[in-house]
Amino acid sequence: GLTLRRIERAKFWIRGFKDVQLYIIEEVLDELEMTSNAMLAEVGLHDWSIQYAVEKETQSGTIQRGLNVSIMSPSNDKPVKWKCWSGGEGQRLRIIGSLALSEVLLNHAGIRTNLEILDEPTQHLSQEGTRDLCTFLALRAQSLNRQCWLIDHTAVPSAEFTSSMTVVKRPDG
């Protein structure tokens, strides 16, 4: 009797804590979704949207738990999985996802930073994509009052930069 009541009470609290965790995760994902979608057009992905969810219904009608990220683009009738995008569109989506996640996590931690560093963000981007990215990063740095450092293996000419530096590795080190 007493042991069974304790087990049932413990199950109740375990379910309750899982529900609270799921609620918090959904709240953060909603914020991440809004933050991500606010940046898309600024990197040239006009009329695109990102959807984050912790549960998704499968084709067989079951519920799949986990982080599900889907992308709506003007050229697709249905959401496309995050990992299906390649090349420049995929790179733009990865940059947006990373910056949005960083922004949401820092906001929740109550941390304000004055520096953002992007390592090879122009990989797979066209000249137009690189131009869009540089304009976006310059406006972002200005509006957030932070420095943005872009590190790349190739020169990225842009009037958006306040300064640039070239580092060359010589055979002697």
Side-chain angles (χ1 to χ4, degrees):
L2 182 61
T3 304
L4 286 175
R5 282 197 308 263
R6 286 182 177 166
I7 290 172
E8 286 305 311
R9 208 172 325 150
K11 285 181 182 178
F12 170 80
W13 285 106
I14 290 170
R15 269 193 311 275
F17 282 122
K18 284 183 179 180
D19 288 345
V20 168
Q21 286 176 324
L22 188 58
Y23 175 76
I24 292 169
I25 290 169
E26 287 175 346
E27 289 264 314
V28 170
L29 288 181
D30 286 346
E31 185 179 348
L32 180 61
E33 191 171 297
M34 287 185 341
T35 304
S36 298
N37 287 323
M39 295 182 201
L40 287 169
E42 296 178 55
V43 294
L45 298 176
H46 302 279
D47 300 321
W48 287 55
S49 67
I50 299 176
Q51 301 166 341
Y52 299 95
V54 289
E55 292 182 343
K56 177 177 119 179
E57 186 174 347
T58 64
Q59 288 180 341
S60 64
T62 62
I63 299 295
Q64 176 186 0
R65 288 184 147 236
L67 180 59
N68 297 291
V69 183
S70 299
I71 313 297
M72 287 295 297
S73 76
S75 59
N76 293 86
D77 295 339
K78 296 181 180 178
V80 176
K81 291 180 182 176
W82 178 275
K83 61 185 176 187
C84 292
W85 299 98
S86 61
E89 290 169 337
Q91 181 67 356
R92 291 175 195 219
L93 291 168
R94 284 187 293 278
I95 290 168
I96 293 302
S98 297
L99 291 174
L101 181 59
S102 171
E103 199 169 300
V104 168
L105 293 176
L106 288 171
N107 185 38
H108 277 264
I111 297 171
R112 301 239 186 269
T113 179
N114 65 351
L115 178 64
E116 204 162 64
I117 300 172
L118 287 90
D119 185 28
E120 298 184 61
T122 63
Q123 186 178 16
H124 304 296
L125 293 182
S126 64
Q127 285 181 341
E128 179 186 356
T130 299
R131 226 177 6 262
D132 288 344
L133 177 65
C134 290
T135 301
F136 165 69
L137 293 175
L139 291 171
R140 178 178 171 80
Q142 187 177 33
S143 70
L144 297 174
N145 195 28
R146 75 174 54 142
Q147 292 182 22
C148 181
W149 290 53
L150 184 146
I151 301 165
D152 219 306
H153 286 277
T154 59
V156 180
S158 176
E160 303 291 347
F161 299 134
T162 56
S163 63
S164 66
M165 181 183 339
T166 302
V167 177
V168 178
K169 181 179 178 183
R170 296 189 182 140
D172 61 352

